[in-house]
Amino acid sequence: MNTRFASLIRWIFSASLCLCAFSSWASVTLTSADEQQINALIDRWNDDLNRQEQAQPQSLYAPQVEWFGQTLTAQQVLANQQVFLAKNKNYQQSIVSTLNIQPAEEDRVQVRFVKRAGLDLDKEQNYPAEFMLKKETSGWRIVSETDGITRAVQSKDDSSLVAKGKFDGSHTSYVWMTDSDPRTGGVCTEEGDCECALWSSVPDVLPVKIPQCLAGGVETVSGLDDSGRDRVLLFPQWWSSALRVLYLYDIQQKQWIKTLPGISFNINLQETATGADLVKRDPAHPGRVNVVQSVFDEAKEEPTTKVVSQTLRTLK
């Protein structure tokens, strides 16, 4: 199986285990007080890195922390942060999405959100922040901190959750998906609705919403035309069914553009397919691509695939 897609399947399986665990861990159901304390902790963390005096950094971290791929003590983390801030006096950051808080294991929760950070306003980037928090006798503490871009760069295998490319044809950036309940902004559940947002590390490119979607893999597809733009193929997930709808996007005029209609995809039939397998340049027709679609063969009464020629959408 392709490394990237195998990674995606493992992620889906892990997420399923997490959801099953969530339903069985009645003792770790978060109370409103827990959620308030977690939000307050992340606010203090943000205040500390913005040099706010009321941050109380000594109450942020557990005694041992997995910090951007390193195992450190709380004191080492705080010391590293102070050294960084001393060298980069113009550094600032902000939280630009709601917090996605989900129980992970026993006394821990996973917290994900998008942060915007940089040494100057014109050098800021968006990052998919990832935290693990543990409830101790003294309250919630950070036991793990990283972000999806750093994790993708550090990973020996291709990351299936963050993609890198020149999606506007000129500048290298990173992209990823998040998901949330559109009514509450919180974690999606099977009983409610769920929508995804496609994010860019470039702050000027606003996220685009995708309905009926759980965040899944993203993959860079290159060379589909002569524009110089890479495309990102989204592999959204859902609670049930082997059928999915995939989406192909690029960045034009500083906005996300869906360059093809949704692509029908069957995870049972096409589990090893990559973006390069599913969407290929049509050498005989510039601006058109050959797309592998999942269809149902009425005569044979079984799913199959067919190749459809489609035109890439381009803004005038």
Side-chain angles (χ1 to χ4, degrees), residues 218-285:
V218 290
E219 184 173 343
T220 302
V221 183
S222 302
L224 296 182
D225 61 9
D226 295 325
S227 67
R229 290 192 298 274
D230 294 322
R231 273 76 182 192
V232 57
L233 185 62
L234 314 185
F235 291 82
Q237 304 303 315
W238 199 242
W239 303 106
S240 60
S241 175
L243 297 179
R244 301 284 189 270
V245 179
L246 311 187
Y247 301 97
L248 191 74
Y249 278 85
D250 65 14
I251 297 172
Q252 301 177 45
Q253 299 179 19
K254 294 186 177 182
Q255 60 184 306
W256 283 115
I257 298 298
K258 186 169 70 172
T259 57
L260 290 177
I263 301 169
S264 177
F265 181 80
N266 187 314
I267 60 176
N268 292 335
L269 187 66
Q270 301 169 275
E271 67 173 356
T272 61
T274 67
D277 297 326
L278 296 169
V279 186
K280 297 182 179 181
R281 181 174 183 154
D282 184 343
H285 302 92

Side-chain angles (χ1 to χ4, degrees), residues 76-134:
Q76 288 174 318
V77 171
L78 294 175
N80 286 350
Q81 289 178 342
Q82 291 307 308
V83 170
F84 172 81
L85 293 174
K87 290 182 178 179
N88 301 281
K89 298 185 182 301
N90 292 327
Y91 175 83
Q92 58 186 358
Q93 68 173 39
S94 58
I95 297 171
V96 295
S97 76
T98 57
L99 303 191
N100 188 301
I101 304 170
Q102 184 165 327
E105 55 182 62
E106 296 187 1
D107 55 355
R108 300 187 179 198
V109 298
Q110 185 179 66
V111 182
R112 294 186 176 188
F113 55 90
V114 178
K115 71 176 182 181
R116 183 168 298 164
L119 302 182
D120 295 294
L121 281 175
D122 60 348
K123 295 181 180 179
E124 286 188 330
Q125 288 195 95
N126 293 330
Y127 296 86
E130 302 176 358
F131 285 75
M132 192 73 74
L133 273 56
K134 180 180 180 181

Side-chain angles (χ1 to χ4, degrees), residues 8 11-12 177 212-217 235-239 244 267:
L8 172 60
W11 178 85
I12 296 169
M177 283 195 288
Q212 296 295 103
C213 169
L214 286 168
F235 291 82
Q237 304 303 315
W238 199 242
W239 303 106
R244 301 284 189 270
I267 60 176

Side-chain angles (χ1 to χ4, degrees), residues 125-262:
Q125 288 195 95
N126 293 330
Y127 296 86
E130 302 176 358
F131 285 75
M132 192 73 74
L133 273 56
K134 180 180 180 181
K135 192 172 187 179
E136 301 186 337
T137 54
S138 55
W140 290 97
R141 295 292 183 268
I142 298 168
V143 295
S144 175
E145 177 184 350
T146 188
D147 66 73
I149 294 175
T150 298
R151 191 164 45 77
V153 171
Q154 292 174 338
S155 176
K156 294 181 180 180
D157 297 326
D158 287 340
S159 170
S160 61
L161 302 181
V162 175
K164 178 183 178 182
K166 293 184 177 181
F167 302 106
D168 66 352
S170 301
H171 307 95
T172 300
S173 60
Y174 293 88
V175 302
W176 64 91
M177 283 195 288
T178 62
D179 57 35
S180 62
D181 185 313
R183 293 171 298 176
T184 67
V187 174
C188 297
T189 64
E190 290 188 68
E191 294 74 25
D193 293 326
C194 190
E195 68 179 10
C196 291
L198 173 61
W199 286 83
S200 168
S201 58
V202 179
D204 288 345
V205 180
L206 298 179
V208 63
K209 297 295 180 66
I210 302 165
Q212 296 295 103
C213 169
L214 286 168
V218 290
E219 184 173 343
T220 302
V221 183
S222 302
L224 296 182
D225 61 9
D226 295 325
S227 67
R229 290 192 298 274
D230 294 322
R231 273 76 182 192
V232 57
L233 185 62
L234 314 185
F235 291 82
Q237 304 303 315
W238 199 242
W239 303 106
S240 60
S241 175
L243 297 179
R244 301 284 189 270
V245 179
L246 311 187
Y247 301 97
L248 191 74
Y249 278 85
D250 65 14
I251 297 172
Q252 301 177 45
Q253 299 179 19
K254 294 186 177 182
Q255 60 184 306
W256 283 115
I257 298 298
K258 186 169 70 172
T259 57
L260 290 177

Side-chain angles (χ1 to χ4, degrees), residues 44 46-58:
R44 293 202 311 276
N46 189 54
D47 288 342
D48 181 48
L49 288 167
N50 284 315
R51 303 174 181 84
Q52 300 296 319
E53 293 182 359
Q54 75 277 14
Q56 299 177 325
Q58 68 278 2

